[in-house]
Amino acid sequence: MSDATIPAGNELAAERAKAGQPPLVPSTSRDRGIGPHKRLVLRAATVIDGTGAPPIGPTDIVVENGRIVQLKKVTGNLATNANRPAPGDHEIDCRAKWVTPGFVDCHAHAGVAYHAANGWVPPVEYVYKLWLAHGVTTVREMGSFNGLDWMLDQKRRSEANEIAAPRLLAYSYFPAVNDMLKLIHTPEEGRVWLRKLKERGADGVKFFGAPPAIMEAALDECRKLGLKSGCHHAQMAVTRMNALTTAGWGLTSAEHYYGLPEALFEDRVVQNFPLDYDYNDEYFRFSVSGQMFRQGAEPGSRKWNETLERFLELGFTFVPTFTIYDANRDLMRARQADWHKEYTWKSMWDYFTPQRGGHGSYWYRWSTQNEIEWKENYRLWMAFINEYKNRGGRVCAGSDSGFIYQIFGFGYIRELELLQEAGFHPLEVVRAATSQGAALCGLEDEIGTVEVGKRADLLVHDHNPLTDFKLLYGTGALRLDEATNGATWHRGLKYTIKDGVIYDTAELLADVRELVKATWDEAVPAKYTGTDQAAP
């Protein structure tokens, strides 16, 4: 049973701190963003509302005290239309601009303490500003690896707009996995732990698996307590229960792809592992994972269709996080991404490079064959996810950045691109990133669409995001300037509005560049190394 002196949800953070991985330096004040204003008006926007409906405009959007109170279609002459809403305390001219709901990152981490192995760990301010600069206004923090106390403090500060951060949901790690931290050994111990977690204010639970009896009891208890759940079906646990098994027990969502290929197996129960396989060898762990889908049922087969239909019956949700394994298909592309030079923290970059003991730093002998296998894995994985969406299943956007050459914010935009690659229409991509994510989080009445009564989580775009998601990257996308016949960088996202607070994305990105430069110059201020600031 867990140590009674350590509150539920703090156990893994305490264990990692002993190993030299202390929690990240938290954010305690807000240095960016204006508002919230008593009355904010966005004038003449073209609205992409997040439901999947096509763009409509021009529309005036009125926000009062952080909520949308009016959507007014603008007709006639924009300058003289007497029926337009009254002036606001602050206004944004949205002519020739597009407005979408804020994005929901359904699988994210508020920094990665693992990076301590390679130097200064980025403060969470770095993470938050990258999220906001890429339009992420709500985050489902999967694991609360800095500790539940830490996470709840940051959640409260964000709700009060005391810090420049997205809305935060705290999901805590369920300590029942041998290779991480196992403190729960019976079903009743699991139920007791979950009750304590609920009392402490957690929003949900992050599973990596558990013995089946414990897992089934835990998911039953989550349902009774109203705790949502997500599971990374770890390879050490998945032979005893795949994603379909846990979905039947009440799991809310499957993270990544683990457990799905196993649900499609027809002629085996266990993946065809090499006989010299070792899960603790990260190269084995990730290279062999690229062989799983081709061992399952073929698209369109009876087993494929039966599996799809059963997930649909259960109302299950997939958060594929295509982005976090994208480097496996083309390592050189991921390593040479435009943003690394100015936006990747030095200890993160050093952590990404091949090293024993670094989770996700497994490029010891990555080969052409590995990339070919992973491309095939994606083809089948994407086919399943797209068909699930086409049949009415919920698919949400998540990034899991901080590993495998993916950094915060940028990794989320890459996920939007990969959903489109999987077959999603751009409107379906935006829907997955907004209203579908809000529904998974249980916040569909508060966020996720541009509607009267919803919180003012809004993005103002200089370019239509449906035409090219690359324009959402903080670096923008390289384009030809016809007037000069020269190259220019176009960036689409102008403002991120969270709860009515307006963030200029250019300012956020400039702050991040300054922080990152200091890490490469080895001149990080003490407040960001944690040496002059106590934990909350």
Side-chain angles (χ1 to χ4, degrees):
M1 184 63 177
S2 60
D3 185 343
T5 64
I6 301 175
N10 284 1
E11 300 96 340
L12 188 59
E15 192 75 9
R16 288 181 171 176
K18 293 178 188 176
Q21 298 173 8
L24 273 66
V25 176
S27 182
T28 57
S29 61
R30 175 159 67 92
D31 61 351
R32 291 294 183 191
I34 61 172
H37 300 278
K38 184 176 180 181
R39 181 179 172 86
L40 167 68
V41 182
L42 284 67
R43 296 286 185 186
T46 298
V47 175
I48 302 169
D49 69 8
T51 67
I56 184 171
T59 301
D60 286 347
I61 305 169
V62 181
V63 174
E64 292 183 354
N65 300 315
R67 287 191 182 271
I68 300 170
V69 298
Q70 186 178 12
L71 296 172
K72 176 71 173 179
K73 185 172 73 171
V74 177
T75 57
N77 188 307
L78 293 183
T80 61
N81 190 334
N83 294 320
R84 298 183 71 180
D89 302 311
H90 185 86
E91 298 204 358
I92 300 175
D93 184 353
C94 290
R95 287 175 294 181
K97 298 186 190 302
W98 287 258
V99 169
T100 67
F103 296 143
V104 182
D105 192 333
C106 288
H107 190 116
H109 303 292
V112 180
Y114 287 158
H115 299 154
N118 295 90
W120 287 308
V121 179
V124 79
E125 176 187 344
Y126 165 82
V127 182
Y128 293 160
K129 287 187 174 182
L130 280 174
W131 278 337
L132 289 171
H134 289 88
V136 175
T137 54
T138 298
V139 166
R140 187 171 171 245
E141 214 288 1
M142 295 300 287
S144 299
F145 295 135
N146 290 302
L148 182 58
D149 284 339
W150 187 100
M151 200 68 236
L152 292 175
D153 167 78
Q154 295 293 279
K155 176 183 177 179
R156 178 188 62 77
R157 291 178 187 273
S158 175
E159 287 175 346
N161 290 315
E162 295 174 0
I163 58 176
R167 179 175 297 99
L168 299 167
L169 301 176
Y171 281 53
S172 289
Y173 163 69
F174 186 71
V177 177
N178 289 327
D179 59 301
M180 291 185 68
L181 180 65
K182 186 168 184 178
L183 302 171
I184 292 170
H185 301 277
T186 69
E188 184 55 30
E189 287 180 354
R191 289 181 185 274
V192 170
W193 186 89
L194 287 164
R195 290 175 202 139
K196 292 178 179 178
L197 194 76
K198 175 67 174 180
E199 289 173 2
R200 300 194 65 228
D203 297 291
V205 186
K206 166 73 174 293
F207 292 93
F208 285 87
I214 295 176
M215 187 77 173
E216 185 172 10
L219 289 171
D220 176 66
E221 193 67 25
C222 284
R223 179 185 58 78
K224 291 177 179 177
L225 294 171
L227 284 170
K228 291 187 176 292
S229 55
C231 185
H232 169 154
H233 292 79
Q235 287 152 291
M236 298 304 294
V238 75
T239 55
R240 295 196 283 181
M241 51 193 168
N242 60 44
L244 192 55
T245 309
T246 53
W249 291 342
L251 181 70
T252 307
S253 66
E255 314 299 304
H256 317 309
Y257 62 93
Y258 309 104
L260 176 54
E262 290 84 356
L264 291 166
F265 285 173
E266 294 182 285
D267 59 354
R268 70 195 70 213
V269 174
V270 178
Q271 181 188 347
N272 184 22
F273 289 104
L275 300 185
D276 59 345
Y277 181 93
D278 182 351
Y279 182 69
N280 278 337
D281 184 314
E282 292 273 311
Y283 171 77
F284 268 131
R285 177 175 173 178
F286 285 94
S287 63
V288 174
S289 292
Q291 302 167 5
M292 285 199 289
F293 272 101
R294 63 179 178 168
Q295 296 175 33
E298 288 289 327
S301 67
R302 179 177 177 179
K303 176 71 171 182
W304 175 278
N305 286 319
E306 287 176 349
T307 304
L308 276 167
E309 288 302 322
R310 180 57 180 152
F311 277 122
L312 288 167
E313 288 171 6
L314 293 167
F316 197 60
T317 299
F318 287 101
V319 184
T321 69
F322 292 126
T323 177
I324 198 58
Y325 307 104
D326 193 29
N328 293 345
R329 303 191 299 170
D330 188 344
L331 176 57
M332 187 186 300
R333 178 203 173 279
R335 199 167 50 214
Q336 299 300 320
D338 291 329
W339 44 85
H340 284 314
K341 182 177 179 180
E342 291 190 302
Y343 293 100
T344 301
W345 197 273
K346 185 178 187 300
S347 65
M348 290 177 61
W349 180 259
D350 291 343
Y351 183 87
F352 293 157
T353 56
Q355 57 178 311
R356 294 290 180 183
H359 174 52
S361 304
Y362 48 83
W363 314 107
Y364 320 140
R365 52 188 183 276
W366 206 252
S367 68
T368 302
Q369 182 63 30
N370 293 142
E371 293 186 353
I372 291 169
E373 289 173 352
W374 266 96
K375 287 172 183 175
E376 176 66 5
N377 208 50
Y378 265 75
R379 183 185 71 81
L380 296 167
W381 180 18
M382 286 179 162
F384 189 95
I385 294 298
N386 189 51
E387 189 167 351
Y388 189 69
K389 174 265 300 176
N390 287 344
R391 296 193 189 194
R394 183 190 295 145
V395 177
C396 300
S399 66
D400 197 24
S401 295
F403 302 95
I404 315 179
Y405 289 104
Q406 295 295 342
I407 67 169
F408 310 98
F410 290 94
Y412 186 82
I413 302 307
R414 181 61 179 156
E415 182 70 4
L416 305 188
E417 290 192 287
L418 292 169
L419 287 168
Q420 185 175 358
E421 180 185 332
F424 287 48
H425 185 281
L427 283 168
E428 293 176 326
V429 173
V430 171
R431 179 172 174 265
T434 57
S435 60
Q436 295 290 277
L440 173 60
C441 295
L443 296 174
E444 62 269 37
D445 294 334
E446 291 287 300
I447 61 168
T449 56
V450 183
E451 291 185 85
V452 170
K454 296 288 182 75
R455 291 185 180 274
D457 285 12
L458 303 167
L459 308 180
V460 179
H461 305 262
D462 282 334
H463 301 277
N464 182 352
L466 300 175
T467 63
D468 191 355
F469 291 122
K470 291 187 187 303
L471 297 171
L472 293 174
Y473 285 123
T475 49
L478 191 63
R479 296 290 182 264
L480 176 67
D481 185 331
E482 296 286 357
T484 64
N485 198 34
T488 185
W489 288 87
H490 287 183
R491 192 170 64 82
L493 183 57
K494 179 72 172 174
Y495 299 114
T496 294
I497 304 173
K498 178 253 179 182
D499 274 336
V501 178
I502 305 165
Y503 294 96
D504 185 318
T505 60
E507 292 179 349
L508 297 170
L509 292 166
D511 290 347
V512 172
R513 289 195 299 272
E514 183 178 355
L515 283 170
V516 168
K517 184 178 185 300
T519 72
W520 289 88
D521 294 341
E522 298 187 351
V524 178
K527 69 175 182 177
Y528 295 126
T529 66
T531 57
D532 75 340
Q533 185 171 348

